[in-house]
Amino acid sequence: MEFYCLSFQQPYAGFVLNAVKTRDSLATLVSSQGKSTITTHIAHRDWEEALWRELLLEKLGWNPRQIQALLLEGRSMGEKGLPDIGATLQCPENMAPEEVVELEKQAVLTNLKQTYLTALSNPRWLLERIPRRGGKAVFQVASHST
């Protein structure tokens, strides 16, 4: 069986698999192919900006302890899993401020005007690692890879 795989920088893979991040712009590339389940991959480099931390603290109302627990859980699980993808929407340029805030929360990103976002849901952690070199952004992986 072949899956499309999204390569996420950390901590975004953990956000997807913990249902914190429920919309993503890269998933749009896969949703156009008609696939409904994808797998996650950890990119070689972590996300260096602190924007995600600021979004969690200020827009989602998290505290530092909750963020640390989320990061530790993701690392212990290996950040590999299978989320489903759903409908895609394009963020209009003239969104109401409350719509902007809600989409930023769902995507754990800012500056979303005219960005295509695809829904992510039903994340399941993989119990075993799928050994595979990563690809750029979106690539395919077979479930029987070694």
Side-chain angles (χ1 to χ4, degrees):
M1 179 178 251
E2 294 249 327
F3 287 97
Y4 277 92
C5 188
L6 288 180
S7 187
F8 290 98
Q9 290 180 316
Q10 275 304 73
Y12 286 98
F15 293 167
V16 168
L17 295 173
N18 282 294
V20 173
K21 182 175 177 65
T22 59
R23 292 199 179 268
D24 187 70
S25 58
L26 286 177
T28 301
L29 299 172
V30 180
S31 69
S32 66
Q33 303 294 315
K35 301 293 182 184
S36 63
T37 299
I38 59 173
T39 187
T40 59
H41 173 268
I42 305 307
H44 180 66
R45 293 184 308 162
D46 288 349
W47 186 261
E48 294 177 9
E49 294 180 33
L51 175 64
W52 60 269
R53 188 177 300 274
E54 184 178 313
L55 284 167
L56 291 178
L57 291 169
E58 294 178 14
K59 294 196 178 188
L60 293 175
W62 286 41
N63 64 50
R65 180 175 282 154
Q66 289 171 302
I67 293 171
Q68 188 62 30
L70 177 76
L71 294 174
L72 290 173
E73 178 187 21
R75 286 186 194 115
S76 71
M77 294 299 289
E79 311 289 11
K80 304 288 190 275
L82 299 168
D84 293 337
I85 58 173
T88 298
L89 65 87
Q90 182 181 19
C91 303
E93 193 162 319
N94 58 350
M95 284 189 292
E98 58 276 359
E99 290 176 300
V100 171
V101 169
E102 185 56 34
L103 286 174
E104 286 177 348
K105 286 179 182 179
Q106 293 171 13
V108 193
L109 295 171
T110 60
N111 196 20
L112 298 175
K113 290 181 182 175
Q114 301 214 316
T115 300
Y116 287 92
L117 294 174
T118 299
L120 300 170
S121 63
N122 191 29
R124 284 101 55 209
W125 291 95
L126 288 176
L127 299 178
E128 292 183 32
R129 186 178 176 284
I130 298 175
R132 168 81 161 74
R133 282 185 63 100
K136 198 164 199 160
V138 177
F139 56 96
Q140 287 186 301
V141 62
S143 63
H144 62 280
S145 294
T146 57

